[in-house]
Amino acid sequence: MNQSTTDRRSIPVADELDSEVVAFRQQFDGRSALDELIREGARKMLQAAIDAEVEAFLLEHHHRRDDQGRRLVIKNGTLPAREILTGAGPIEVQQGRVRDNTRDPEQRVQFSPSVLPAYLRKTEAIEDLIPWLYLKGVSTNDFTEALQAIVGERAKGLSANVIVRLKEQWSTEYETWSRRDLTGKQYVYVWADGIHVKVRLEDDANKKQCILVLIGATPEGKKELIAVLDGYRESEQSWSELLLDLKQRGLETPPKIAIGDGALGFWAALRKIFPTTKEQRCWVHKTANVLNSMPKSVQPKAKADLHEIYLAETKKDDLTALAFFLEKYEVKYSKACDCLRKDRDELLAFYDFPAEHWGHLRTTNPIESTFATIRLRHRKTKGNGTRRTSLAMMFKLAQSAAKRWRRLSGHEKIAFILQGKTFHDGIMQEENAA
């Protein structure tokens, strides 16, 4: 017998519900007065939008008349009511029936409201729930039960089979996106990182996959996903292939600064392909690496001392705090100090950029926070099925996260960077204005 490792008891099943689960479900099925008010308001707005489209369509064709001067395009009752599954719950609406009485069938017009496409039974918010559940680690076989537990019996149409089609669709979307034209694009800042994942259905050589991720900031201060590509560990060859592919597709202008951890592969590739780009080491990665070389009893104090370094207001104060750290811990923890000392200049590159951007430039947080979800799924499912699925999932995760990405703080300062202005300790130098 094929036994699933998923604990199905965590998902309510219709014919196994106990009294507590029934009571919990009734909180939502019964709906509070506020829920009903919100749903009724949503229904009225949707119905008003549909009615307005019907009237606009009739007005657009009011000039079409027969020999007796009667309108050919008229409203003739209503279609049967339709129930739409939305984030606010099921909403019932009706669409006016529009008839064109033109004798010639080829000259007749048909009405279809844009707000309520034909055959629509659920909104995009509900459609988005499916990939969200999948990416959160819900097994494909548990989808029917999980969806019914969340939105009730009306979710039976959202079966687990949808996931099979979705994964293929995601892969197709990713492949199209990864070949898009980048001519004219420019990214002022880029964040680079490698996400290590496990692929179950691959040969032994490819089971441990490294997904290379590149996110950029546009001249308008908006973050964009630039590339997602699988590679061999974080090797120079893999990163070189990624960067060269970007150039081949039209990304000619080098970034002003790149932010990443200490993986040598990325920096070696960057120096060859975009040699003018400055390098900024991620302080979160560096802090973790330094603390890993120290006993746990010392780590809290050492971590606070490291914060004093990269949070200093000036580069001079930063260097002073760094020298103090080395003097304080050198004797007992030389390995930790060597780790900090070797990338000193690259750790302080952010001081040559606007102070408003420092919080963005000191770490690879845009990547870390975006792809934390996929690490969670990997822990729950013990890895993805194939490398193709891994790439598609990373792409869809980034697409979902991008909806919540905010502009860089002080994004208006990017214009000065592009103009060639220089910054010292985060302040623009006026003498360069001449």
Side-chain angles (χ1 to χ4, degrees), residues 11-61:
I11 303 175
V13 182
D15 55 5
E16 297 179 2
L17 298 179
D18 58 27
S19 58
E20 292 185 8
V21 174
V22 171
F24 177 78
R25 174 75 65 77
Q26 287 176 346
Q27 298 178 47
F28 302 97
D29 292 344
R31 301 278 179 177
S32 68
L34 179 59
D35 289 332
E36 291 297 333
L37 182 63
I38 293 172
R39 185 166 59 175
E40 179 61 18
R43 187 197 67 78
K44 288 182 177 179
M45 286 191 292
L46 179 58
Q47 188 66 62
I50 296 170
D51 294 342
E53 281 203 73
V54 171
E55 294 302 321
F57 186 82
L58 295 174
L59 182 61
E60 180 184 355
H61 298 281

Coordinates of all heavy atoms in Angstrom, one line a residue, residues 11-61:
I11 N -6.3 18.0 8.2 CA -7.2 18.7 7.2 C -8.6 18.1 7.4 O -8.8 16.9 7.3 CB -6.8 18.4 5.8 CG1 -5.3 18.9 5.6 CG2 -7.7 19.0 4.8 CD1 -4.7 18.6 4.3
P12 N -9.7 18.9 7.7 CA -11.0 18.3 8.0 C -11.5 17.7 6.7 O -11.5 18.2 5.6 CB -11.8 19.6 8.3 CG -10.8 20.6 8.8 CD -9.6 20.3 7.9
V13 N -12.1 16.5 6.8 CA -12.8 15.8 5.8 C -14.3 15.8 6.1 O -14.7 15.6 7.2 CB -12.2 14.4 5.6 CG1 -12.9 13.7 4.4 CG2 -10.7 14.4 5.4
A14 N -15.1 15.9 5.0 CA -16.5 16.2 5.2 C -17.2 15.1 6.1 O -18.0 15.4 7.0 CB -17.2 16.3 3.9
D15 N -17.0 13.8 5.8 CA -17.7 12.8 6.5 C -17.0 12.4 7.8 O -17.3 11.4 8.4 CB -17.9 11.6 5.6 CG -16.6 11.1 5.0 OD1 -15.5 11.6 5.4 OD2 -16.7 10.2 4.2
E16 N -15.9 13.1 8.3 CA -15.2 12.7 9.5 C -15.2 13.9 10.5 O -14.5 13.9 11.4 CB -13.8 12.3 9.2 CG -13.7 11.1 8.3 CD -12.3 10.7 8.0 OE1 -11.4 11.4 8.5 OE2 -12.0 9.7 7.2
L17 N -16.0 14.9 10.2 CA -16.0 16.1 11.1 C -16.5 15.8 12.4 O -17.6 15.3 12.6 CB -16.8 17.3 10.4 CG -16.3 17.7 9.0 CD1 -17.2 18.8 8.5 CD2 -14.8 18.3 9.2
D18 N -15.8 16.2 13.5 CA -16.3 16.1 14.8 C -17.0 17.4 15.2 O -17.1 18.4 14.4 CB -15.2 15.7 15.8 CG -14.1 16.8 15.8 OD1 -14.4 17.9 15.5 OD2 -13.0 16.4 16.2
S19 N -17.6 17.5 16.4 CA -18.4 18.6 16.8 C -17.6 19.9 16.9 O -18.1 21.0 16.5 CB -19.0 18.3 18.2 OG -18.0 18.1 19.2
E20 N -16.3 19.8 17.3 CA -15.5 21.0 17.3 C -15.2 21.6 16.0 O -15.3 22.8 15.8 CB -14.2 20.7 18.1 CG -14.3 20.4 19.5 CD -13.0 20.2 20.2 OE1 -12.0 20.5 19.6 OE2 -12.9 19.8 21.4
V21 N -15.0 20.7 15.0 CA -14.7 21.2 13.6 C -16.0 21.8 13.1 O -15.9 22.8 12.4 CB -14.2 20.0 12.8 CG1 -14.1 20.4 11.3 CG2 -12.9 19.5 13.3
V22 N -17.1 21.1 13.3 CA -18.4 21.7 12.8 C -18.6 23.1 13.4 O -19.0 24.0 12.7 CB -19.6 20.7 13.2 CG1 -20.9 21.4 12.9 CG2 -19.4 19.4 12.4
A23 N -18.4 23.2 14.7 CA -18.6 24.6 15.3 C -17.6 25.6 14.7 O -18.0 26.7 14.4 CB -18.3 24.5 16.8
F24 N -16.4 25.1 14.4 CA -15.4 26.1 13.8 C -15.9 26.5 12.4 O -15.8 27.6 12.1 CB -14.1 25.4 13.7 CG -13.0 26.2 13.1 CD1 -12.4 27.2 13.7 CD2 -12.6 26.0 11.8 CE1 -11.4 28.0 13.1 CE2 -11.7 26.7 11.1 CZ -11.0 27.7 11.8
R25 N -16.3 25.5 11.6 CA -16.8 25.8 10.3 C -18.0 26.7 10.3 O -18.1 27.6 9.4 CB -17.1 24.5 9.6 CG -17.8 24.6 8.2 CD -16.7 25.0 7.2 NE -15.8 24.0 7.0 CZ -16.0 22.9 6.2 NH1 -17.1 22.7 5.6 NH2 -15.0 22.0 6.1
Q26 N -18.9 26.6 11.3 CA -20.1 27.4 11.3 C -19.8 28.9 11.5 O -20.6 29.7 11.2 CB -21.0 26.9 12.4 CG -21.7 25.6 12.1 CD -22.5 25.0 13.2 OE1 -22.4 25.5 14.4 NE2 -23.4 24.1 12.9
Q27 N -18.6 29.1 12.1 CA -18.2 30.5 12.3 C -18.1 31.2 10.9 O -18.4 32.4 10.8 CB -16.8 30.6 12.9 CG -16.8 30.1 14.3 CD -15.4 30.2 14.9 OE1 -14.7 31.2 14.8 NE2 -14.9 29.1 15.5
F28 N -17.7 30.4 9.9 CA -17.6 31.0 8.5 C -18.8 30.8 7.7 O -19.2 31.6 6.9 CB -16.3 30.4 7.9 CG -15.1 30.6 8.7 CD1 -14.6 29.6 9.6 CD2 -14.4 31.8 8.6 CE1 -13.5 29.8 10.3 CE2 -13.2 32.0 9.3 CZ -12.8 31.0 10.2
D29 N -19.4 29.6 7.8 CA -20.6 29.3 7.0 C -21.8 30.2 7.5 O -22.5 30.7 6.6 CB -21.1 27.9 7.2 CG -20.1 26.9 6.6 OD1 -19.2 27.4 5.7 OD2 -20.1 25.7 6.9
G30 N -21.9 30.5 8.8 CA -22.9 31.3 9.3 C -22.7 32.8 8.9 O -23.6 33.5 8.7
R31 N -21.5 33.2 8.9 CA -21.1 34.6 8.6 C -21.6 35.5 9.7 O -22.7 35.5 10.1 CB -21.6 35.0 7.2 CG -21.1 34.2 6.1 CD -19.8 34.6 5.7 NE -19.3 33.7 4.6 CZ -18.1 33.9 4.0 NH1 -17.3 34.9 4.3 NH2 -17.8 33.1 3.0
S32 N -20.7 36.5 10.1 CA -21.1 37.5 11.0 C -21.9 38.6 10.2 O -21.9 38.6 9.0 CB -19.9 38.1 11.7 OG -19.1 38.8 10.7
A33 N -22.5 39.5 11.0 CA -23.2 40.6 10.3 C -22.2 41.4 9.5 O -22.6 41.9 8.4 CB -23.8 41.5 11.4
L34 N -21.0 41.6 10.0 CA -20.0 42.4 9.2 C -19.7 41.7 7.9 O -19.6 42.3 6.8 CB -18.8 42.6 10.0 CG -17.6 43.4 9.3 CD1 -18.1 44.8 8.9 CD2 -16.4 43.5 10.3
D35 N -19.5 40.3 8.0 CA -19.2 39.5 6.8 C -20.3 39.7 5.8 O -20.1 39.8 4.6 CB -19.0 38.1 7.1 CG -17.7 37.8 7.9 OD1 -16.7 38.6 7.6 OD2 -17.6 36.9 8.6
E36 N -21.5 39.6 6.2 CA -22.7 39.7 5.3 C -22.8 41.1 4.7 O -23.1 41.2 3.5 CB -24.0 39.4 6.1 CG -24.1 37.9 6.5 CD -24.2 37.0 5.3 OE1 -24.6 37.4 4.2 OE2 -23.8 35.8 5.4
L37 N -22.4 42.1 5.5 CA -22.4 43.5 5.0 C -21.4 43.6 3.9 O -21.7 44.2 2.8 CB -22.2 44.4 6.1 CG -22.2 45.9 5.8 CD1 -23.6 46.3 5.3 CD2 -21.8 46.8 7.0
I38 N -20.2 43.1 4.1 CA -19.1 43.2 3.1 C -19.5 42.4 1.8 O -19.4 42.9 0.7 CB -17.8 42.6 3.7 CG1 -17.3 43.5 4.8 CG2 -16.8 42.5 2.6 CD1 -16.1 43.0 5.6
R39 N -20.1 41.2 2.0 CA -20.5 40.4 0.9 C -21.6 41.1 0.1 O -21.6 41.1 -1.2 CB -20.9 39.0 1.3 CG -21.2 38.1 0.1 CD -21.2 36.7 0.5 NE -22.3 36.4 1.5 CZ -22.6 35.2 2.0 NH1 -21.9 34.1 1.5 NH2 -23.5 35.0 2.9
E40 N -22.6 41.6 0.8 CA -23.7 42.3 0.1 C -23.2 43.6 -0.6 O -23.6 43.8 -1.8 CB -24.8 42.7 1.1 CG -26.0 43.4 0.5 CD -26.7 42.6 -0.5 OE1 -26.5 41.4 -0.6 OE2 -27.5 43.2 -1.3
G41 N -22.3 44.3 0.0 CA -21.7 45.4 -0.7 C -20.9 45.0 -1.9 O -21.1 45.7 -3.0
A42 N -20.2 43.9 -1.9 CA -19.5 43.5 -3.0 C -20.4 43.0 -4.1 O -20.2 43.3 -5.3 CB -18.5 42.3 -2.6
R43 N -21.5 42.4 -3.7 CA -22.5 41.9 -4.7 C -23.1 43.1 -5.4 O -23.3 43.1 -6.7 CB -23.6 41.1 -4.0 CG -24.6 40.5 -5.0 CD -25.8 40.0 -4.3 NE -26.6 41.1 -3.8 CZ -27.4 41.9 -4.6 NH1 -27.5 41.7 -5.9 NH2 -28.1 42.9 -4.1
K44 N -23.5 44.1 -4.6 CA -24.1 45.3 -5.2 C -23.2 46.0 -6.2 O -23.6 46.5 -7.3 CB -24.6 46.3 -4.1 CG -25.8 45.8 -3.3 CD -26.2 46.8 -2.3 CE -27.4 46.4 -1.6 NZ -27.9 47.4 -0.5
M45 N -21.9 46.2 -5.8 CA -21.0 46.8 -6.7 C -20.8 46.0 -8.0 O -20.7 46.6 -9.1 CB -19.6 47.0 -6.0 CG -19.6 48.1 -4.9 SD -18.0 48.5 -4.3 CE -17.6 47.0 -3.4
L46 N -20.7 44.7 -7.9 CA -20.5 43.9 -9.1 C -21.7 43.9 -9.9 O -21.6 44.0 -11.2 CB -20.2 42.4 -8.6 CG -20.0 41.4 -9.8 CD1 -18.8 41.8 -10.7 CD2 -19.7 40.0 -9.2
Q47 N -22.9 43.9 -9.3 CA -24.1 43.9 -10.1 C -24.3 45.3 -10.8 O -24.7 45.3 -12.0 CB -25.3 43.7 -9.2 CG -26.6 43.5 -10.0 CD -26.7 42.3 -10.8 OE1 -26.6 41.2 -10.3 NE2 -26.8 42.5 -12.1
A48 N -23.9 46.3 -10.1 CA -24.0 47.7 -10.7 C -23.0 47.8 -11.9 O -23.3 48.4 -12.9 CB -23.7 48.7 -9.7
A49 N -21.8 47.2 -11.8 CA -20.8 47.3 -12.9 C -21.3 46.5 -14.1 O -21.2 46.9 -15.2 CB -19.5 46.7 -12.4
I50 N -22.0 45.3 -13.9 CA -22.5 44.6 -15.0 C -23.6 45.3 -15.6 O -23.7 45.4 -16.9 CB -23.0 43.2 -14.5 CG1 -21.8 42.4 -13.9 CG2 -23.8 42.4 -15.6 CD1 -22.3 41.1 -13.2
D51 N -24.6 45.9 -14.8 CA -25.7 46.6 -15.4 C -25.2 47.9 -16.2 O -25.8 48.2 -17.2 CB -26.6 47.1 -14.3 CG -27.3 45.9 -13.6 OD1 -27.3 44.8 -14.1 OD2 -27.8 46.1 -12.4
A52 N -24.1 48.5 -15.7 CA -23.6 49.7 -16.4 C -23.0 49.3 -17.7 O -23.2 50.0 -18.7 CB -22.5 50.3 -15.5
E53 N -22.4 48.1 -17.8 CA -21.8 47.6 -19.1 C -22.9 47.3 -20.1 O -22.8 47.6 -21.3 CB -20.9 46.4 -18.9 CG -19.5 46.7 -18.3 CD -18.6 45.6 -18.7 OE1 -18.2 45.5 -19.9 OE2 -18.2 44.9 -17.7
V54 N -24.0 46.8 -19.6 CA -25.2 46.5 -20.5 C -25.7 47.7 -21.1 O -25.9 47.8 -22.3 CB -26.3 45.7 -19.7 CG1 -27.5 45.6 -20.5 CG2 -25.8 44.3 -19.3
E55 N -25.9 48.8 -20.2 CA -26.5 50.0 -20.7 C -25.5 50.7 -21.6 O -26.0 51.3 -22.7 CB -26.8 50.9 -19.5 CG -27.9 50.5 -18.5 CD -29.2 50.3 -19.3 OE1 -29.5 51.1 -20.2 OE2 -29.9 49.3 -19.0
A56 N -24.2 50.6 -21.4 CA -23.2 51.3 -22.3 C -23.2 50.6 -23.6 O -23.1 51.2 -24.7 CB -21.9 51.2 -21.7
F57 N -23.4 49.2 -23.6 CA -23.5 48.5 -24.9 C -24.7 48.9 -25.7 O -24.6 49.0 -26.9 CB -23.4 47.0 -24.6 CG -23.3 46.1 -25.8 CD1 -22.1 45.9 -26.4 CD2 -24.5 45.5 -26.4 CE1 -22.0 45.1 -27.5 CE2 -24.4 44.7 -27.5 CZ -23.1 44.5 -28.1
L58 N -25.8 49.0 -25.0 CA -27.1 49.4 -25.7 C -27.0 50.8 -26.3 O -27.4 51.0 -27.4 CB -28.3 49.3 -24.7 CG -28.6 47.9 -24.2 CD1 -29.7 47.9 -23.2 CD2 -29.1 46.9 -25.4
L59 N -26.3 51.7 -25.5 CA -26.2 53.0 -26.0 C -25.3 53.1 -27.2 O -25.5 53.9 -28.1 CB -25.6 53.9 -24.9 CG -25.4 55.4 -25.2 CD1 -26.8 56.0 -25.5 CD2 -24.8 56.1 -24.0
E60 N -24.2 52.3 -27.2 CA -23.3 52.2 -28.3 C -23.9 51.8 -29.6 O -23.6 52.3 -30.7 CB -22.1 51.3 -28.0 CG -21.1 51.1 -29.1 CD -20.0 50.1 -28.7 OE1 -20.1 49.5 -27.6 OE2 -19.1 49.8 -29.6
H61 N -25.0 51.0 -29.5 CA -25.6 50.5 -30.7 C -27.0 51.0 -30.9 O -27.8 50.4 -31.6 CB -25.6 48.9 -30.7 CG -24.3 48.3 -30.7 ND1 -23.5 48.2 -31.8 CD2 -23.5 47.8 -29.7 CE1 -22.4 47.6 -31.5 NE2 -22.4 47.3 -30.2

